[in-house]
Amino acid sequence: MDIHTLPTTDDVAFFRSNGYWLSPKLFSDAELAELRVHHAAVVAGEYETKRPPLSRDPEPGITSRLVQVNNAYWTDATIARHVLSVQIGRIATHLLGVKGIRLWHDQLLLKPPQSGKAGNIGWHQDRGYWSCLDRDDQITAWIALEDVNEENGCMEVVPGSHTWGLLGEDHFYQQDIDQQIARIEQKTGKPFTTKPCILPAGCVSFHHSLTIHGSRPNVSTRPRISIAVHLIIDGTRYRAGTPSEDHTSNTLRRPRDGDLYAGPYFPVLFREDEPNANVWMTAEP
Amino acid sequence: MRFSTFDWTLVAVYVLLAFAIGMLARKRITNIADYLVAGRHIRYNLGVASLVATELGLVTMMYFAEQGYRFGFAAFIIGVIWAAAYFMIGQTGFVVERIRQLEIITITEYFQVRYSRGVRVLAASLLTIAGVLSLGVFLKLGAVFIVNFTDIPETSLHLTMTVLVVIVVIYTILGGMVSVVLTDYVQFVFLAIGMLMASVFVLHYHGVISIFEKARELYGAGAMNPFTHPEYGWTFIAYWAVFAVSGCVLWQPVAQRILASENPELNRRIFKSTSVMFLGRAFFPILWGIGAALYFGAAGDPTAGMPKFLAEILPIGILGFLAAGMFAALMSTDDSYLIAWSGIIVQDLIAPLRGKEISESGRVMLTRICVFMIGILMLIFGIWYELKDSAFRYLLDVTTIYYAGGLPVLVAGLYWKRANLPGAYLAFAFGAFLPLAFVAEDIILQARGIGEPGFFNELFSANMRGLMSFVLGFIGMGIGSIITGNSPALAGKQS
């Protein structure tokens, strides 16, 4: 993994004004080849560590619809090494302008080929699913394991939408995504303009947790495979009484109001003032 | 018997006061569990007091005194090694520092994060077996102390055990853990003073110098040297050293306090200071046991000897003072352990196996049911089971069931990158085999009315059995990990 690339001042400014940023290639071809093999194994339910993921949908073997595996890093050392990478954390802290970053959870994703509308991911803000976090400004790193483009249903973002506040439009599984646009425009009074995140394999897109995003069908003949690494700012606390208190990550330690998200279920990826804070990974320099 | 109405009054006042403080404070403190497990700061004084008070149970004093009674000054090696283990961990930060860096809350949680939920469940199962088997003896030893220290007739042993269970279970169900934490300080002070005073009276009774001469006559010259003593020797020293390190890093009441601190330097200070306290925890009761042996002679009852002897030599008032401290120690330990084992059953066995979320109120209810059930079990087992050897030996065997696998799984997980899931399973299986087989065989033989020692009793000496269990645990970890070679997802930094 390219451990030297960091967003420039312009990149950071772009992220802060648009709510997303596309990195240059961070993963080598050899790493991508290895990751694809391990991605396929986890999708098939072959867990190298014998430890199952936190949750998954659908069951192993079914790839005719969108596959989501949460905390896939538990199941596989190669995936863990990249999900918990110091470099991903370092970039995220730069973009957000914070001191440290922890993993919230990962999501191994597969959008099947020729998916039709079933491959659509409705327009949503991640924050809508994470209202239990006491801060708005969280971030996701989305790692492209294949080239992604409009043909295979790349992620699309609405630039600047992270400044619109939480809209309550949380329709990840909404398949008629055009219907949503009119409603969002009416709510915000702003034009709904999307930007496709076209990424060569090995690049990573970073988006703010309030940035509206979604995706369209994969009309290609190959599955679109990726890993989303959802990150939270070090120091984020649990806020009780929100619609997302049943989020799967909350089942790990059953937090109470005001509890810090900390510990081995929310490992530190990077801390600016503590070089060795990422204690779980051995492969990082 | 010299235990007077005044002494009973002292006991009653102290116990009622402890109850009252606990109950009043309970209404005001809602997040004591947070304090214990959620990474808040533990200050130095409370850290030391709380750690020592929790581990300073009545049962501890009974089995140390029993060792003193039977084997004289050689038994001091138990305290020396235990203190050395605490000091070594305080000095080096072995295991505890790494665990703290990983922000682990409980050791069983580490087993899940590093290996799998199955390893966590297996560890919790072995811990529960060890815990429940030991609690039966806790109860009996507590009752033996009370009937021999006070004016309760010795024939009322079983009735005393029953009353004790009822009090402890009610106290625990009503939320005694809060009281225990709050009264740890008071208990620590009471017991420390009581133990010092009792020791002064013992030394005064036998004479500071002449107690050594009398002991040499009773036990023989070799009884001073633990390295050559037939009961101890090098095998015991090796076994006990590994056991003591396991106790520091695996025993949840101890680990919990370490993991609650955010400051590694404070942890080290607490461990180093506590090592001195733990030296006293062993020395004083062993001294009382030796005093009792000199008073009653070698033919006396080593278990009941210490309380009987103290009851004879301590003046009115001091008797009540010490009894109150001892009773508080009994309540504190039994309560803590009932909560600990019930919590483990609910958190580490029922919840993971159920696979579905259990509500907070559901957990509380389940924990209370477990407390009640364990209470019944410990009463039945405590009344029925007859110890063949000393209480100390029995507790060593049952605790080794968990420790012998737990230590390699924990240490290898932290310091050996290749440690993996099959290794963890094999370590627990290999480590638990000998002590589990020995204890199970002993229980079965007693149930069938057979008084002869069983196969596993005769296979190895008690010391060799314990040491072999740890060796087997490490071998299991090594073989399982090397042969299968499955890489774990999360190894942690190994440097």
Side-chain angles (χ1 to χ4, degrees):
Chain A
M1 188 179 193
D2 175 359
I3 57 162
H4 303 296
T5 298
L6 277 180
T8 63
T9 314
D10 287 348
D11 294 335
V12 173
F14 179 87
F15 175 82
R16 297 200 185 156
S17 98
N18 290 281
Y20 76 101
W21 176 69
L22 309 182
S23 82
K25 187 167 176 170
L26 296 179
F27 293 86
S28 69
D29 289 341
E31 285 171 327
L32 287 170
E34 188 188 22
L35 269 170
R36 284 183 204 119
V37 170
H38 287 262
H39 187 287
V42 175
V43 168
E46 294 159 12
Y47 305 135
E48 181 187 70
T49 63
K50 313 292 182 223
R51 184 179 178 199
L54 177 58
S55 58
R56 65 175 298 156
D57 182 53
E59 289 303 306
I62 302 170
T63 52
S64 55
R65 58 188 173 95
L66 185 73
V67 175
Q68 271 190 324
V69 183
N70 289 313
N71 279 5
Y73 80 102
W74 290 355
T75 69
D76 190 286
T78 304
I79 290 174
R81 200 165 64 244
H82 294 295
V83 164
L84 300 180
S85 97
V86 173
Q87 176 63 349
I88 295 275
R90 189 186 286 127
I91 293 174
T93 54
H94 269 70
L95 292 172
L96 287 176
V98 295
K99 298 277 184 199
I101 279 286
R102 286 177 182 270
L103 179 71
W104 172 230
H105 66 95
D106 73 21
Q107 229 167 21
L108 187 144
L109 299 163
L110 180 147
K111 185 187 281 198
Q114 308 290 335
S115 63
K117 273 194 170 182
N120 282 355
I121 293 174
W123 302 111
H124 67 279
Q125 295 166 299
D126 292 339
R127 174 65 169 149
Y129 296 98
W130 304 345
S131 51
C132 56
L133 307 177
D134 71 343
R135 305 179 61 144
D136 280 336
D137 46 352
Q138 313 295 357
I139 194 168
T140 292
W142 195 95
I143 306 167
L145 300 187
E146 299 275 9
D147 293 346
V148 288
N149 48 42
E150 286 165 299
E151 188 193 11
N152 62 7
C154 65
M155 185 167 70
E156 295 177 40
V157 295
V158 180
S161 56
H162 64 299
T163 60
W164 298 355
L166 186 62
L167 302 174
E169 287 288 335
D170 310 318
H171 303 289
F172 191 89
Y173 287 107
Q174 172 69 261
Q175 290 174 5
D176 197 350
I177 62 174
D178 290 324
Q179 228 183 30
Q180 283 183 274
I181 294 175
R183 199 168 53 236
I184 294 173
E185 281 184 330
Q186 198 180 4
K187 254 187 197 177
T188 59
K190 289 175 178 152
F192 192 96
T193 314
T194 62
K195 173 87 180 167
C197 295
I198 295 169
L199 296 169
C203 296
V204 181
S205 74
F206 289 83
H207 65 265
H208 191 281
S209 62
L210 282 169
T211 301
I212 298 175
H213 59 288
S215 67
R216 297 174 194 275
N218 175 1
V219 295
S220 76
T221 54
R222 294 166 59 83
R224 190 205 74 178
I225 56 172
S226 60
I227 302 172
V229 186
H230 299 300
L231 302 164
I232 54 176
I233 296 169
D234 191 20
T236 298
R237 291 177 183 275
Y238 173 71
R239 197 173 59 167
T242 67
S244 69
E245 60 186 28
D246 291 331
H247 189 283
T248 46
S249 291
N250 286 335
T251 61
L252 296 168
R253 265 191 182 171
R254 279 169 293 280
R256 275 177 283 181
D257 195 34
D259 276 357
L260 272 177
Y261 282 105
Y265 295 119
F266 310 103
V268 172
L269 266 62
F270 180 73
R271 262 194 202 129
E272 207 172 76
D273 53 356
E274 201 184 334
N276 295 319
N278 186 331
V279 289
W280 284 106
M281 281 298 93
T282 56
E284 291 287 339
Chain B
M1 196 59 66
R2 301 165 62 246
F3 208 81
S4 68
T5 311
F6 177 65
D7 294 311
W8 275 119
T9 311
L10 279 176
V11 174
V13 167
Y14 178 84
V15 171
L16 287 174
L17 204 64
F19 265 84
I21 292 170
M23 292 301 142
L24 284 173
R26 184 171 161 243
K27 290 179 183 170
R28 297 181 59 183
I29 294 176
T30 55
N31 59 359
I32 196 74
D34 278 351
Y35 160 74
L36 284 175
V37 299
R40 295 192 184 170
H41 292 283
I42 279 188
R43 277 172 294 183
Y44 174 74
N45 290 341
L46 183 61
V48 172
S50 178
L51 193 55
V52 177
T54 301
E55 294 302 294
L56 192 61
L58 175 52
V59 68
T60 322
M61 282 180 262
M62 286 294 284
Y63 68 63
F64 276 138
E66 191 186 42
Q67 289 293 298
Y69 195 109
R70 291 169 64 142
F71 310 116
F73 286 104
F76 278 172
I77 190 70
I78 300 170
V80 172
I81 291 176
W82 194 264
Y86 265 75
F87 189 82
M88 183 275 287
I89 287 182
Q91 191 68 28
T92 63
F94 179 63
V95 173
V96 295
E97 197 135 317
R98 188 66 60 89
I99 281 280
R100 199 200 61 82
Q101 280 177 346
L102 297 176
E103 301 180 319
I104 299 290
I105 285 179
T106 65
I107 299 299
T108 50
E109 180 183 74
Y110 175 71
F111 291 151
Q112 176 163 352
V113 172
R114 177 66 165 82
Y115 300 101
S116 74
R117 189 170 63 178
V119 172
R120 178 182 190 159
V121 169
L122 177 60
S125 306
L126 293 174
L127 189 53
T128 305
I129 291 170
V132 172
L133 284 173
S134 59
L135 270 175
V137 174
F138 275 39
L139 184 67
K140 190 168 212 164
L141 290 181
V144 167
F145 178 87
I146 289 172
V147 297
N148 286 288
F149 196 71
T150 66
D151 53 355
I152 296 173
E154 281 185 55
T155 49
S156 306
L157 183 70
H158 291 172
L159 179 64
T160 307
M161 287 169 75
T162 311
V163 172
L164 276 180
V165 161
V166 171
I167 294 174
V168 169
V169 167
I170 289 174
Y171 183 65
T172 309
I173 288 177
L174 284 178
M177 191 63 190
V178 178
S179 318
V180 165
V181 173
L182 288 168
T183 52
D184 265 354
Y185 249 141
V186 185
Q187 182 204 321
F188 176 69
V189 173
F190 255 68
L191 262 187
I193 295 171
M195 286 172 78
L196 270 174
M197 285 196 299
S199 302
V200 168
F201 277 97
V202 169
L203 287 174
H204 180 258
Y205 182 84
H206 286 298
V208 177
I209 304 296
S210 55
I211 192 169
F212 289 96
E213 290 161 6
K214 289 179 191 173
R216 191 172 285 115
E217 277 174 33
L218 183 70
Y219 298 108
M224 295 288 186
N225 186 350
F227 300 98
T228 55
H229 195 287
E231 177 67 14
Y232 302 117
W234 285 107
T235 324
F236 172 81
I237 289 168
Y239 171 34
W240 182 240
V242 186
F243 187 97
V245 170
S246 307
C248 298
V249 297
L250 282 169
W251 199 236
Q252 181 59 11
V254 178
Q256 199 170 37
R257 281 158 176 81
I258 302 155
L259 300 173
S261 166
E262 287 184 3
N263 180 345
E265 276 311 305
L266 185 65
N267 271 338
R268 289 181 174 208
R269 274 182 66 207
I270 290 174
F271 258 88
K272 282 194 255 185
S273 305
T274 308
S275 69
V276 180
M277 305 282 183
F278 275 88
L279 207 56
R281 182 186 81 141
F283 272 26
F284 291 128
I286 288 172
L287 182 71
W288 305 344
I290 294 168
L294 299 178
Y295 187 85
F296 293 112
D301 180 348
T303 312
M306 179 271 279
K308 263 187 184 168
F309 168 60
L310 291 183
E312 293 294 330
I313 66 162
L314 293 182
I316 288 170
I318 303 286
L319 274 175
F321 191 84
L322 190 62
M326 291 292 200
F327 191 74
L330 178 143
M331 297 288 287
S332 161
T333 309
D334 287 9
D335 174 288
S336 299
Y337 286 10
L338 268 179
I339 291 270
W341 307 137
S342 305
I344 285 164
I345 291 172
V346 175
Q347 306 279 7
D348 297 323
L349 286 177
I350 297 175
L353 290 174
R354 193 166 176 264
K356 278 169 68 183
E357 191 66 7
I358 304 173
S359 67
E360 195 66 29
S361 57
R363 279 171 193 270
V364 172
M365 178 56 75
L366 275 174
T367 306
R368 285 178 172 163
I369 291 170
C370 286
V371 166
F372 181 75
M373 299 298 288
I374 295 174
I376 302 269
L377 204 63
M378 70 194 265
L379 179 63
I380 294 170
F381 188 75
I383 288 176
W384 173 77
Y385 185 68
E386 289 295 332
L387 287 170
K388 307 295 182 301
D389 200 334
S390 66
F392 177 71
R393 284 289 176 190
Y394 171 81
L395 290 170
L396 232 61
D397 270 314
V398 296
T399 315
T400 300
I401 292 171
Y402 170 61
Y403 280 4
L407 189 67
V409 172
L410 179 63
V411 172
L414 291 169
Y415 295 99
W416 189 38
K417 193 179 171 183
R418 294 183 67 179
N420 68 8
L421 184 66
Y425 280 128
L426 271 189
F428 272 120
F430 281 22
F433 176 70
L434 281 177
L436 199 55
F438 165 75
V439 173
E441 183 187 55
D442 190 47
I443 292 171
I444 291 166
L445 288 177
Q446 184 172 320
R448 293 168 64 184
I450 300 170
E452 297 298 312
F455 171 77
F456 287 102
N457 194 342
E458 296 198 320
L459 189 60
F460 295 112
S461 69
N463 292 332
M464 186 54 80
R465 181 171 62 241
L467 189 58
M468 283 293 292
S469 301
F470 279 97
V471 171
L472 285 172
F474 277 98
I475 288 174
M477 172 51 83
I479 289 176
S481 302
I482 289 167
I483 287 180
T484 61
N486 287 333
S487 58
L490 300 173
K493 279 198 162 69
Q494 307 290 317
S495 58

